[in-house]
Amino acid sequence: MAKSIYILGAGGQGHLVYGLLVDLNMGGQVMGYVEDNSKRAGELSLGKPVYDSDILKNLDRNETLLVSGIGNSIRKNFIEKAKSMDYSFKTLIHPSVIKSQWLRTGEGVTIFAGVIIAPEVNIGDFSYVGISSIIGHDVNIGKYASISFGVNISGSVNIGDMTYIGVGTTIREKVSIGSGSFIGMGSLVTKDIPDHVLAYGSPAKVIKEINENDIKKFI
Ligand SMILES: CC(C)(COP(=O)(O)OP(=O)(O)OC[C@H]1O[C@@H](n2cnc3c(N)ncnc32)[C@H](O)[C@@H]1OP(=O)(O)O)[C@@H](O)C(=O)NCCC(=O)NCCS
């Protein structure tokens, strides 16, 4: 029998992931969304119930799969908690994705509709690539990274762990973006960007240093 699926997160990203599961003909397996300290527990969201994370104490690990549905890197804490409880995460790739045979994905990666991925691309654990993004050849994306909608990543680009790339951003070839950084929407990234900074603009400039709490305020 097909396993039950729970989506971690019941916000916009949770809805996107539910839509992706429906497109994969897996909508019937979705039992609902799970949130930490949920204020919406018991409500329906796109017709599926929202549960508090207490439910994770009682589910059968062998019959349950989790998928990540949280859009920023703050998902790391929740995912690590679920992993420590022996849950497994599923990688989801939309049927419309055009990808080479040389794509390597880690655990719990999500690739949304219309994405195109050139050869020799690595996408680390629990990262996602948003609708209509294009990833060039020889690109490395770290763990817990978030690539929003319509992002264009040129060849030989590196993106660090837990970094967020805002909607519609374009990144020049051979550029490295550090870990824990946030690139604002519509940016044109022409030079390397260090760890833990907010950068945006055309060309993108570092605006300030940031930490995990700042990211919660951005998205
Ligand atoms: C970068 C970002 C986090 C900044 O948010 P913020 O701190 O609330 O910034 P503000 O809206 O207060 O803007 C501050 C200034 O920066 C400018 N600015 C903000 N984001 C910018 C961007 N991406 N590019 C150029 N300028 C930008 C604003 O116009 C404003 O300029 P001003 O002081 O001259 O009026 C936000 O703009 C952003 O890009 N978020 C990501 C959006 C996204 O990708 N969403 C996809 C998920 S659905």
Side-chain angles (χ1 to χ4, degrees):
M1 208 180 74
K3 294 187 180 187
S4 300
I5 296 175
Y6 288 82
I7 300 169
L8 295 192
Q13 185 79 4
H15 287 168
L16 285 168
V17 169
Y18 178 44
L20 168 51
L21 285 157
V22 169
D23 291 349
L24 285 164
N25 290 321
M26 296 169 79
Q29 288 169 250
V30 176
M31 297 296 121
Y33 311 86
V34 182
E35 287 187 321
D36 246 347
N37 305 315
S38 179
K39 294 188 177 71
R40 291 178 292 174
E43 292 178 14
L44 292 179
S45 195
L46 298 184
K48 296 286 180 179
V50 179
Y51 297 99
D52 186 83
S53 56
D54 275 350
I55 194 179
L56 294 178
K57 293 177 189 156
N58 303 319
L59 299 174
D60 182 344
R61 286 18 171 204
N62 295 320
E63 299 300 326
T64 306
L65 286 171
L66 300 182
V67 293
S68 168
I70 300 170
N72 64 26
S73 58
I74 306 305
R75 65 186 173 278
K76 183 168 188 267
N77 299 335
F78 200 5
I79 289 169
E80 283 181 348
K81 178 171 136 183
K83 292 281 294 171
S84 73
M85 297 169 82
D86 286 333
Y87 281 99
S88 303
F89 280 78
K90 189 161 175 56
T91 284
L92 304 175
I93 300 180
H94 193 275
S96 66
V97 170
I98 299 174
K99 59 184 173 62
S100 82
Q101 60 183 293
W102 301 281
L103 168 66
R104 286 175 290 273
T105 51
E107 181 181 8
V109 166
T110 309
I111 306 179
F112 289 95
V115 169
I116 301 176
I117 303 178
E120 281 299 322
V121 168
N122 298 308
I123 303 177
D125 299 342
F126 307 111
S127 292
Y128 70 85
V129 183
I131 293 170
S132 282
S133 289
I134 298 177
I135 303 183
H137 62 88
D138 300 281
V139 166
N140 286 304
I141 297 173
K143 298 179 182 180
Y144 298 98
S146 308
I147 313 298
S148 188
F149 303 144
V151 172
N152 289 313
I153 302 177
S154 307
S156 304
V157 162
N158 288 302
I159 295 173
D161 297 343
M162 299 186 75
T163 282
Y164 190 99
I165 309 293
V167 63
T169 289
T170 296
I171 306 172
R172 184 181 181 171
E173 75 281 359
K174 297 181 185 158
V175 160
S176 286
I177 299 177
S179 299
S181 286
F182 194 105
I183 308 298
M185 59 191 170
S187 295
L188 186 68
V189 184
T190 57
K191 292 184 178 155
D192 290 357
I193 301 286
D195 296 343
H196 302 292
V197 295
L198 169 67
Y200 56 68
S202 175
K205 301 277 185 215
V206 172
I207 306 297
K208 60 179 179 181
E209 292 190 1
I210 56 167
N211 59 35
E212 274 191 37
N213 288 326
D214 294 318
I215 288 174
K216 273 189 220 168
K217 290 179 235 151
F218 293 154
I219 203 90

